[in-house]
Each structure stands twice: as C-alpha cells, then as structure tokens.
Amino acid sequence: MENKKMRILWAVSLLVLSIGTLVLSVPNIFGIEVPGTVRIIVGLCDLATVPVLVYTSIKLNMPKN
C-alpha cells in the first residue's frame, strides 16, 4: 500500500514540475511576456516539488530487505 502512495506522489510531483517548466519556458521561446508574479508562484511551486520528487524517487528505488 505504501508503494502505491509513493508512486502516486512521485507521479504528481513529476507532473507539477513538468507543467511548471512548460509554463516558464514556452512563453520565453515564443517571446511572450509572463507577469513576474506568475513566474514567482510557478518557481516556488517547482522549488517545493523538487524535494518531494527526490524523496519519493529514492524511496521507490531503495532495495527492499
């Protein structure tokens, strides 16, 4: 059961990081200006999600004794 929760948490954090990266990079590629508050909010969400992704990745890939 714990493994299923970790996989869901891993998938959600990966999805949040992917969407955040797209929101920040695609407008930059096409030359569209994104408001500063949007950049800050998305950047903070990305920063908060990285430790969750790292923790769940390590937890899922640890050998089981």
Side-chain angles (χ1 to χ4, degrees):
M1 189 67 173
E2 182 179 329
N3 194 18
K4 185 176 180 180
K5 288 180 184 178
M6 284 293 169
R7 288 219 177 264
I8 291 172
L9 194 58
W10 177 81
V12 168
S13 63
L14 189 62
L15 185 65
V16 168
L17 276 173
S18 301
I19 291 171
T21 302
L22 286 174
V23 166
L24 292 177
S25 64
V26 170
N28 192 22
I29 292 171
F30 292 114
I32 300 169
E33 191 64 35
V34 178
T37 54
V38 172
R39 286 181 185 237
I40 291 172
I41 291 170
V42 172
L44 288 175
C45 288
D46 281 353
L47 284 175
T49 306
V50 169
V52 175
L53 182 67
V54 170
Y55 174 76
T56 55
S57 296
I58 291 172
K59 199 74 165 164
L60 287 172
N61 291 321
M62 286 182 65
K64 303 201 175 23
N65 291 334

